[in-house]
Structure formats: C-alpha cells, structure tokens
Amino acid sequence: MLIRPRRNRKSAVIRDMVQENQVSAANLIFPLFIVEGQNQKTEISSMPGIYRYSIDNLLREVECCLELGLRSFDLFPNIDESLKDPYASESHREGNLYVRAIQSVKSHFPEACVVTDVAMDPYSSDGHDGLVVNGNIVNDASLEILGKMALAHAHAGADIIAPSDMMDGRVGYIRQLLDENGFTNVSIMSYTAKYASAFYGPFRDALNSAPKHGDKKTYQMNPANQREALIEATLDTQEGADFLMVKPGLPYLDVVKLLKDNFDLPIAVYNISGEYAMLKAAARNGWIDEQGAVKEVLTSFKRAGASAILTYHAKEVLQNKWL
Ligand code: PBG
C-alpha cells in the first residue's frame, strides 16, 4: 500500500498537527436567562446547571465568565404573566427588565459583547413570536413591534441584535430603523434558518413562553426543508444581516454547511436547549462520556462551517478545560 492514512493518526503530536478544526472561547456565545428581583438564582429543571438570574447575580455570572475568557452573552428575559399582553407592550417599555439587564452588563463590563433576542414570545400573552389577530400570526404589523424592541435594545447598549421571530422582512426593517436612529454600528445576527423544532421545550420552560394555542409552523421552517434556507439566507443578506444563524444545531448541520458554502457572511449556529438537555440527561445517567460528547458536538459545528456557536455548554467547557 502506497497510501496509509493511519500514518497521520499515529501519535498525538501528528494528530494535533493535522487537526482541521478547533473550537476556542472566541467562538462561543453563552445564553443567559434573566428574571426580576434580587439575589435570585434558580435552576431550570429541564436544563441542569443553567439558571435564571436576577440582574445582581447576572453581573456576578458575567464577571466569572469573562475571567474564563468567555466574552459573548445572549440574554433572554423571563417575564411575569401579569406583564404579558397581545402586543408585547412590555418588550419596549422604558426601564423594563431586559433593558436594565443590558445596561447593567454593558456599564459594568464594556468589553463584553451583548447579543439580544428580538421576538414577542417572552412578552406575548399568546406566546407567539409575532402578533396574533383572529388566530393568525400577522407579519407586517409584527414588524412595528419588533422594531421598537430592537431600538430599545440598541438604546440600552446591545452590541448585536438577533431577531428570532422569523417574520418576513424583519432584518431589513430593523436595519433601516437602527440606521435612522444613529445605530449604524449595531450588528444584526439573523435567525436565518430557524426550524419549527421539538427541541425548544426546555427553553420554553425557562421563560414560560410556550404558545398558548397552535404551533409556530406558519413562521418557523419545516424541518424537512433544506433549499428553503437558501431563500431565507439570500433575503437576510440583501436586507443587511451581519451573521446568518441556523437553529437548532445538531439536527441541521447540513444547513450550516449549505449556508457556509453559498454565502460569505459568518455563520452562527444555536445548540439549543433540547440538545443540551438530552446530553445532560444521558451524562447524568452515566450513559455517555460528557466531556467527550460535548467537545465532539461543539467541534461538529466548527467543522460544518460555524464561526459563532451559541451554547449552554459554553461556561462549563472553559471551566473544565474540555476544549
Ligand atoms: C423565541 C426563541 C426560542 C429560542 C430562542 N428564541 C424558542 C422558540 O422559538 O420557541 C430557543 C432557544 C433554545 O431552545 O435554546 N423566539
């Protein structure tokens, strides 16, 4: 045999030398859940090791992450039911929980990169990402609300705005509004190919944000479709997105690769709550080697073409030196 591929695997030194992909702290974005109150830190039962923090404890958590070299955070608010209405009015009210959290993190840690989620579901009494009228999720009227939310985040100091709602035209709408208001420097990380997934369950527990009726299939994508992601990515690119995101992660690696091969914008991937919960459950039962599995999953995102990886594993991999 002239060619023996095993020669390049014969020692750790050579394996490391020829390794094609390496995840580093710079690639990771850590999602954090926030809640009203003081000195709050409550674990989400379906996401062991992940908590909802009041702003004071959020600051402690961010500081701890920064010391580990983890510098990017995506914030998600848990909103009291009494503040929810059909119009998600609370989402753009001055001084709301989200705005205060963004301001606090950015004023204490200006070097941190704060990503914010734009969608109505945490604030909507219908639990949908857009406005519900006669049982339908209406597109264009939702844009106005999403735009107000994005502006509130930009005013508070968000570095990157991430619309996760999947309404048509929202990237362009938000981009224009940001620019008109002087926020030309605020980035947009679009949830470009966000699928109607069964893996969002634990996240909806964390925020108590599950739809009160129906499902999200008229706006989130059909898990059976790949080509449709190209349509979404073309639009987001034309509308001024700075990143294209695929979500969930593991079941959609083909879509990450497809976008990487067809677009020049950096690709982000969201390794979502249900993916985290599955792995944790198996690890806790002793059914899987957690360190190996987490590293393999994160590496697979890099291999598929992602630059940014949103993952609930971010802190533990750095704390335990798993990468
Ligand atoms: C809501 C939103 C969801 C997630 C991020 N933003 C859930 C949904 O669409 O119902 C999911 C994140 C996760 O599961 O980790 N717009």
Side-chain angles (χ1 to χ4, degrees), residues 108-305:
H108 286 82
F109 310 107
E111 72 277 28
C113 174
V114 173
V115 183
T116 65
D117 199 80
V118 167
M120 287 171 62
D121 52 324
Y123 303 96
S124 151
S125 47
D126 294 300
H128 276 287
D129 295 17
L131 181 64
V132 182
V133 178
N134 299 328
N136 296 315
I137 291 84
V138 295
N139 195 89
D140 301 12
S142 298
L143 298 185
E144 287 178 37
I145 299 168
L146 298 167
K148 287 182 189 165
M149 204 183 303
L151 262 191
H153 295 178
H155 271 290
D159 296 281
I160 301 179
I161 285 174
S164 71
D165 53 283
M166 290 300 279
M167 296 301 120
D168 291 336
R170 91 275 206 214
V171 171
Y173 186 91
I174 291 171
R175 182 71 273 159
Q176 190 181 342
L177 201 60
L178 290 174
D179 290 356
E180 283 166 2
N181 285 275
F183 296 111
T184 52
N185 218 18
V186 173
S187 314
I188 296 181
M189 178 181 281
S190 176
Y191 284 70
T192 296
K194 178 173 179 181
Y195 287 87
S197 171
F199 291 93
Y200 299 139
F203 174 94
R204 294 177 188 172
D205 292 344
L207 297 192
N208 191 21
S209 63
K212 301 284 193 310
H213 49 84
D215 53 41
K216 299 193 175 184
K217 290 179 184 169
T218 67
Y219 45 107
Q220 297 180 349
M221 285 171 55
N222 179 347
N225 294 353
Q226 191 193 56
R227 309 292 306 168
E228 196 177 350
L230 294 172
I231 300 176
E232 291 285 357
T234 301
L235 286 170
D236 285 353
T237 304
Q238 289 166 351
E239 291 176 32
D242 301 289
F243 293 82
L244 303 177
M245 192 201 295
V246 175
K247 174 182 181 179
L250 268 191
Y252 299 91
L253 288 179
D254 58 322
V255 182
V256 175
K257 171 88 171 115
L258 181 73
L259 295 194
K260 183 68 184 177
D261 288 345
N262 288 281
F263 293 87
D264 294 326
L265 287 173
I267 309 298
V269 66
Y270 202 139
N271 175 217
I272 66 163
S273 58
E275 301 174 60
Y276 176 86
M278 265 193 315
L279 208 146
K280 281 285 164 193
R284 296 213 158 182
N285 277 297
W287 295 339
I288 201 170
D289 162 32
E290 185 172 13
Q291 170 174 0
V294 171
K295 184 175 175 180
E296 190 174 329
V297 166
L298 298 184
T299 305
S300 77
F301 297 133
K302 207 63 197 284
R303 195 186 65 235

